[in-house]
Amino acid sequence: MNQLPKQTTNQTIPTNYSALGTLVTVFFFWGFIAAGNSIFIPFCKHYFKLDQFQSQLIDFAFYTAYYIGALALFAYGSFGGKDLVGKWGYKKSIVYGLLFSALGAAAMIIAVNANAFAGMLVGLFIVALGFSLQQTAAQPFSVLLGDPSTGTSRINLGGAINSLGTTIGPIIVALALFGTTAAISDDQIARLSLHKVVILYTCVGTLFIIAASLFHFSKKVPAGILLEDTEKANKALYMMLIMTGFLIMMFVPVFNSYKTEAAIQTDTEKLIMNSYRLKWLLGALFIVIAGLLFANTAASKKSEGWGAMKYPQLVLGMLAIFVYVGVEVAIGSNLGALLKETAFGAKEASEATPYIAMYWGSLMIGRWTGAISAFKLKTSSRIVLQIIVPLVAFGVVLGVNTLANYHMESLYLYIICVVMQVFAFFASKDKPARTLLIFGLLGMIAMFVGTQFTGTIGLYAILSGGLCCSIMWPCIFNLSIAGLGKYTTQGAAFLIMMILGGGIIPPIQGKIADIIGIQDSYFIPVICFAYLTLFAILVKKILHKQGINYDQASAKSSH
């Protein structure tokens, strides 16, 4: 009863829907907790009188925790010869991750009561470390709860539930803290009492414990234990540690440069400082790319000591995850600055919120649609749902934000972009590599249009980046761990590390925007989507050489 289904692409394996239903609750909590952070970050900035850089330490602590947590899991497996997540099993790993996040919530409460911002960063870091463990286990667990060819759809289902939590979370949190579902102003956040923040994270910690209990006591969820010994991957470990050391060297000058922020008085000095910071951020990007390409080349010549990195689909997939997370965050993070431009309506923060909400809502629209294939349906029913579900999801995004008193009228015509995504889904035919290729190409086109046109056309093109990104994570993840066998959880840890892209690519685009302008800076997402398109082409060829044909298996499972 604790065994996972034997994985093969030669026969169709039924999906364990009971276990999957329990698993996706964790995805919901990830999205819901993000709603708490949306209040917490501006609260800290007001309450502790932080400057812009200091407030960014909150995001930096979060993304760094993912990287450090996944690196620690890999180091344990490399030195001990046993994969820790495989040893515990996916079920226990998720339970431990949830409890670890609950510990982080407790640390947050202590720090809030002590008025210690550094303590809050530590608490948030601990919460994210728990998330790192949960994601390392949950992503491959989703794939292994059924036929590998439909693993992408199951991860998509988790993403859809995650997006639902992200969408309704702000409304629930606002109602709990402020007694209203209306848009929350900076003034309201500034007046938020510490007592309310303590209540927020008490509830957050309680939710983690409830989720952990749900998993622990569920007899329908298999243990997911992988008992195979893992080959020591000392070469991969040393490479990652060296890469980490160089990344620290790149980040230190960027941090130190903010000490001279107050001394900057002229535009020329500002340009010099931006160029200085950009140089080190590009250096960090170069280190990641060079390190992964070196690993791919070295492992192809002599695979011993590289562990999961001896699989080229994983190494190229690590770079794909890095780029994907980076482009998803970069588009959204720089959207507010784009909307302030006269060519895009010169919108104030309150006026820009509906567009930013639609961008993140676009991720939900795509993930809801992509999740349809996770269920056993007749072909006719699947076709109907692939038309109806994205339209319903679009309506939910409009409805939730209308309840929050945002004016969404200017986004009604965005349904045209949603309909175009529906056609893209039909063209992809539930095939991971084909889906990634199509949506990568659409992302390139959309971002290029966004750099060339202003007004509604340019804005809708940029917003549609959310639709293009929506189903990329499961495609990349599923294709990257395909055929890894006993190295699956080690490979998953590597992929989770690459969430670090969300902490490097967005500031690179931001610094480039300071030099050449915000609209022109969107050539960075064009490049990112270009690599994701290239990865879709390369990984299909790599897997085919290894005797893995996901596209053929997906086609069979669709009928």
Side-chain angles (χ1 to χ4, degrees):
M1 63 179 176
N2 288 332
Q3 298 301 312
L4 290 168
K6 183 180 179 181
Q7 298 302 298
T8 175
T9 56
N10 295 324
Q11 62 184 36
T12 300
I13 301 170
T15 299
N16 186 339
Y17 287 109
S18 297
L20 183 62
T22 306
L23 179 62
V24 296
T25 59
V26 180
F27 286 81
F28 176 83
F29 285 121
W30 294 338
F32 187 84
I33 298 311
N37 286 341
S38 68
I39 298 295
F40 174 69
I41 293 173
F43 164 76
C44 284
K45 186 173 183 179
H46 283 284
Y47 186 82
F48 293 103
K49 296 180 174 58
L50 306 177
D51 59 28
Q52 184 60 28
F53 169 69
Q54 290 169 325
S55 69
Q56 291 176 351
L57 287 175
I58 295 171
D59 279 336
F60 184 79
F62 187 82
Y63 285 114
T64 302
Y66 271 102
Y67 182 81
I68 297 299
L71 181 59
L73 287 174
F74 166 59
Y76 177 91
S78 183
F79 284 122
K82 289 280 188 182
D83 178 73
L84 188 59
V85 173
K87 179 181 177 181
W88 285 342
Y90 292 132
K91 181 178 180 178
K92 281 188 177 180
S93 296
I94 292 173
V95 171
Y96 293 156
L98 286 164
L99 293 177
F100 205 78
S101 292
L103 181 64
M108 293 281 283
I109 293 170
I110 294 172
V112 168
N113 284 321
N115 288 336
F117 177 62
M120 292 182 184
L121 291 179
V122 172
L124 185 62
F125 184 84
I126 296 173
V127 170
L129 279 177
F131 281 5
S132 177
L133 177 55
Q134 293 165 48
Q135 288 222 28
T136 300
Q139 304 289 346
F141 201 14
S142 299
V143 176
L144 292 171
L145 285 177
D147 197 272
S149 65
T150 55
T152 297
S153 298
R154 288 189 292 280
I155 298 178
N156 248 328
L157 177 61
I161 300 299
N162 174 269
S163 294
L164 178 62
T166 304
T167 300
I168 68 174
I171 305 299
I172 297 175
V173 171
L175 184 62
L177 294 181
F178 303 100
T180 177
T181 59
I184 307 304
S185 66
D186 288 345
D187 186 55
Q188 286 176 290
I189 293 175
R191 296 198 309 269
L192 183 63
S193 68
L194 290 179
H195 175 68
K196 288 289 186 69
V197 178
V198 169
I199 292 176
L200 171 63
Y201 279 95
T202 299
C203 293
V204 165
T206 302
L207 287 174
F208 284 138
I209 294 173
I210 291 173
S213 300
L214 179 65
F215 247 85
H216 178 72
F217 293 109
S218 176
K219 295 181 180 180
K220 296 178 180 179
V221 179
I225 297 174
L226 301 177
L227 298 176
E228 295 180 272
D229 289 336
T230 301
E231 172 192 318
K232 289 187 177 182
N234 292 333
K235 291 180 181 177
L237 177 61
Y238 296 149
M239 192 278 290
M240 292 302 297
L241 291 175
I242 292 171
M243 192 172 81
T244 302
F246 277 116
L247 285 174
I248 292 173
M249 291 172 60
M250 295 297 108
F251 286 135
V252 168
V254 176
F255 277 79
N256 287 338
S257 69
Y258 281 86
K259 294 179 180 179
T260 60
E261 187 77 35
I264 297 177
Q265 297 180 351
T266 67
D267 291 339
T268 301
E269 289 175 329
K270 184 177 180 180
L271 180 62
I272 292 173
M273 182 57 69
N274 283 328
S275 299
Y276 174 79
R277 293 169 183 162
L278 179 61
K279 176 181 68 176
W280 291 106
L281 287 170
L282 289 174
L285 177 63
F286 172 78
I287 286 169
V288 172
I289 295 174
L292 293 178
L293 291 180
F294 169 79
N296 186 43
T297 302
S300 64
K301 294 179 180 178
K302 188 175 182 180
S303 63
E304 183 181 353
W306 284 102
M309 279 193 175
K310 66 184 177 183
Y311 293 93
Q313 65 264 36
L314 175 69
V315 179
L316 296 179
M318 288 171 67
L319 184 56
I321 287 290
F322 180 90
V323 169
Y324 158 72
V325 176
V327 71
E328 179 188 287
V329 177
I331 294 173
S333 296
N334 291 287
L335 189 55
L338 180 73
L339 291 166
K340 289 182 181 179
E341 295 292 305
T342 303
F344 288 89
K347 297 175 176 62
E348 298 296 329
S350 59
E351 297 174 309
T353 299
Y355 298 91
I356 296 174
M358 182 55 72
Y359 171 72
W360 295 110
S362 295
L363 295 171
M364 186 186 80
I365 294 170
R367 288 167 181 169
W368 279 24
T369 310
I372 293 171
S373 297
F375 301 96
K376 188 175 181 180
L377 300 168
K378 294 181 179 179
T379 302
S380 57
S381 299
R382 180 180 291 109
I383 291 174
V384 171
L385 286 175
Q386 284 184 328
I387 296 173
I388 295 176
V389 168
L391 300 179
V392 171
F394 177 62
V396 170
V397 175
L398 290 177
V400 167
N401 287 283
T402 299
L403 285 175
N405 288 342
Y406 292 125
H407 298 290
M408 306 297 290
E409 293 84 358
S410 59
L411 285 161
Y412 288 166
L413 289 178
Y414 187 68
I415 195 172
I416 296 173
C417 297
V418 176
V419 171
M420 291 176 64
Q421 187 197 46
V422 171
F423 284 110
F425 267 110
F426 281 120
S428 68
K429 299 180 180 179
D430 291 332
K431 301 176 181 180
R434 185 186 179 102
T435 299
L436 187 60
L437 175 63
I438 291 173
F439 281 85
L441 287 171
L442 288 176
M444 286 177 59
I445 295 171
M447 294 304 104
F448 178 76
V449 171
T451 62
Q452 302 300 311
F453 292 86
T454 58
T456 301
I457 293 177
L459 185 54
Y460 277 17
I462 297 295
L463 292 179
S464 67
L467 296 172
C468 297
C469 286
S470 61
I471 43 73
M472 286 188 166
W473 172 281
C475 291
I476 297 169
F477 211 99
N478 204 18
L479 292 167
S480 299
I481 64 174
L484 265 59
K486 65 182 181 180
Y487 297 103
T488 297
T489 53
Q490 186 184 98
F494 281 132
L495 293 171
I496 296 302
M497 285 183 208
M498 293 297 102
I499 290 177
L500 181 67
I504 295 179
I505 292 178
I508 286 178
Q509 183 179 344
K511 294 306 176 188
I512 289 178
D514 289 333
I515 298 173
I516 67 173
I518 184 64
Q519 184 180 9
D520 289 338
S521 75
Y522 272 85
F523 81 86
I524 294 295
V526 174
I527 295 174
C528 290
F529 281 120
Y531 173 74
L532 294 171
T533 304
L534 176 63
F535 171 72
I537 297 171
L538 295 177
V539 75
K540 184 176 180 179
K541 293 180 179 179
I542 291 170
L543 293 178
H544 184 72
K545 288 182 180 179
Q546 297 175 8
I548 302 171
N549 191 337
Y550 266 26
D551 282 358
Q552 185 179 24
S554 297
K556 290 179 180 178
S557 66
S558 297
H559 301 284

